[in-house]
Amino acid sequence: MTKAREIMTPEPECVRTSDTVLDAAKRMAELQVGAMPICGEDNRLKGMLTDRDIVVKVLAEGKDPRAVNAGELAQGEAVTIGADDDAEEILRTMSQHQVRRLPVIDGHDLVGIVAQADVARSLDEPKIGDLLQALSAD
C-alpha cells in the first residue's frame, strides 16, 4: 500500500507564527500554493493557513493583513498524518476532518504535505469518487 512519504510534497516551507498575514499571502503567491503550514519559532507545526482563511478571517472582517500575524489564525491542533500511514488512512483522515491538505509528520518533524490530488493519484477509481464526495459535502 502506498505510504504518505511516497506521495507527499517533501520539505514544505512554513509560515512563521510571527509573520504577518500579508507576508504569508505574498509567499503563498510566490510559491503558487493555496495553503502553507504555520510553524512556531520552535519549528513545531501550529496549524495550516489557507488562502480562504486570509479572505474570510482577515479581509472580510475588515482587518489589516499587515497587523494580523499568521499565528492568530492557527486554530487548535493541526490535523496531520504520519509519514508511514497508507493512502487509506489518509483518505479516512481527510474525509473525517473535511480537509484537502494534510501535513505529514515523522516523529515530531514536519516532512511534507499530502494534497487531495496526491491521494487521488494513488487510489483506485471508486475510492477517488468517495474522497471527492466526502470533501465536497457541506
Side-chain angles (χ1 to χ4, degrees):
M1 180 67 64
T2 304
K3 305 287 185 197
R5 70 173 72 249
E6 297 169 325
I7 61 173
M8 70 184 187
T9 300
E11 301 177 23
E13 289 195 34
C14 283
V15 171
R16 296 282 166 213
T17 53
S18 59
D19 290 345
T20 68
V21 169
L22 179 62
D23 289 336
K26 287 178 180 179
R27 191 70 188 129
M28 290 168 73
E30 288 170 11
L31 296 172
Q32 298 181 341
V33 297
M36 289 184 73
I38 302 170
C39 296
E41 303 309 317
D42 59 359
N43 288 325
R44 295 282 179 125
L45 181 67
K46 304 296 182 189
M48 289 290 289
L49 178 66
T50 67
D51 47 11
R52 186 174 193 284
D53 291 333
I54 293 169
V55 171
V56 172
K57 297 174 183 173
V58 179
L59 300 178
E61 292 183 9
K63 296 177 182 174
D64 182 350
R66 295 170 295 195
V68 177
N69 289 336
E72 295 175 47
L73 300 181
Q75 297 179 344
E77 192 170 324
V79 177
T80 63
I81 199 77
D84 292 317
D85 288 342
D86 64 32
E88 293 281 338
E89 179 61 25
I90 298 167
L91 171 66
R92 278 191 297 276
T93 303
M94 284 181 163
S95 298
Q96 179 182 356
H97 295 280
Q98 295 285 291
V99 295
R100 290 181 167 87
R101 298 168 197 91
L102 285 170
V104 180
I105 303 296
D106 192 0
H108 293 291
D109 298 325
L110 174 66
V111 295
I113 299 286
V114 172
Q116 174 183 344
D118 300 324
V119 179
R121 283 190 292 270
S122 71
L123 296 173
D124 61 32
E125 287 187 39
K127 290 181 182 168
I128 294 169
D130 293 344
L131 173 64
L132 294 176
Q133 182 177 8
L135 294 179
S136 298
D138 287 328

